[in-house]
Structures are given as structure tokens and as C-alpha cells.
Amino acid sequence: MIAFEDLPAGRIIPLGDLTVDRDDMLDFAKKFDPQPFHLDEEAGRNSIFGGLSASGWYTASLWMRRWVDVVLADSTSQGSPGGRELSWLAPVHPGDTLTFAAEVLSARLSKKRPDLGLVEFAGTAHRGDQPVFRFIATGMFTARG
């Protein structure tokens, strides 16, 4: 079980790789972000993205799934008060293999609730050496005490 004490500043947590599935990407876009370059090959080619591209929200959801599978599902997580600096750095296309990670930027115990730790982390996705997604968020984890 991952608890606050397991998440010191500087820790990098590999979250694994995933190849973007075209049908899954299109289903997401149809439901949540139906912009033409997310739905249609030709519209994508005629856009600044150079081809059918994933919604940034889809990329974020892929990262979140990996975070849940690798960290949150077996942790003392108490949710998150939010995040900042959400960036889609490069387009993501069907068939791209993305590598996900989280880096703990800071970790401290709450002054009001000393059994609760606040862990700020940067979530990232890369295609090879190229970053395609980055954000900073805070997670809340109880301490073992």
C-alpha cells in the first residue's frame, strides 16, 4: 500500500507505456471533444496537427488511467484539491506509443491534519524523447502514522 511516506520529493514513478488505439481515441472524441481534427482524417491533415490527432483530454485520461493502475488503486489516496499548468506540448496520433511518468515535486504534512500529506507532482507523457503532455497537480495521501 502506497502512503504519504512513500512519495518523497524527487521520486520518479514510471507509469508504463501505452499505444494509442485509433478506435478508442475516436470514441472519446465523439463523446467529449468532437472537433473535426479529432474525428476526421482529412480535417486532421488540413489542420496544424498534420493528421488525425487525439484530444488533449484523451491524452490526460490515458495518463490518469495509468496513475490509478500503478499508484492510486493500492494507496491511501484521499483525492486531489486540483492542479495547474496543464500543457499539451505536441499532437498525439493513433498508433503513437506514449510513456507515462509522475515526478514528486514536493511533499509535506498538512498543518491542520497531520495525518494527511500533500504531494505535488508533475505528470508527463512522452513519445520517444518528445514530451507531449505535462501537468502539475496535488494529491492527498494519509500517512502511516
Side-chain angles (χ1 to χ4, degrees):
M1 169 105 21
I2 296 170
F4 169 74
E5 293 85 350
D6 301 313
L7 300 166
R11 179 172 177 193
I12 296 174
I13 305 167
L15 301 176
D17 298 339
L18 183 139
T19 299
V20 176
D21 180 81
R22 183 182 190 281
D23 291 339
D24 188 51
M25 187 184 97
L26 287 171
D27 286 345
F28 182 95
K30 287 174 190 170
K31 290 178 186 175
F32 303 109
D33 193 356
Q35 297 181 72
F37 43 79
H38 295 324
L39 295 170
D40 180 75
E41 295 280 354
E42 186 175 341
R45 278 193 300 280
N46 293 327
S47 75
I48 63 170
F49 305 118
L52 185 65
S53 65
S55 166
W57 297 111
Y58 176 72
T59 305
S61 71
L62 295 177
W63 185 92
M64 187 67 197
R65 181 60 201 231
R66 299 302 306 151
W67 178 242
V68 169
D69 290 348
V70 174
V71 176
L72 298 185
D74 189 25
S75 77
T76 64
S77 174
Q78 300 297 303
S80 171
R84 59 188 171 90
E85 295 184 29
L86 176 64
S87 299
W88 295 298
L89 304 165
V92 171
H93 303 286
D96 285 353
T97 297
L98 304 180
T99 301
F100 300 96
E103 178 182 358
V104 178
L105 302 175
S106 66
R108 67 175 178 82
L109 289 172
S110 168
K111 292 175 183 157
K112 293 181 181 177
R113 292 195 52 199
D115 63 325
L116 184 68
L118 300 167
V119 178
E120 185 179 59
F121 60 90
T124 60
H126 286 77
R127 177 183 45 237
D129 291 334
Q130 181 181 32
V132 297
F133 170 73
R134 184 178 196 287
F135 77 104
I136 297 174
T138 300
M140 298 181 296
F141 295 83
T142 55
R144 286 192 184 93

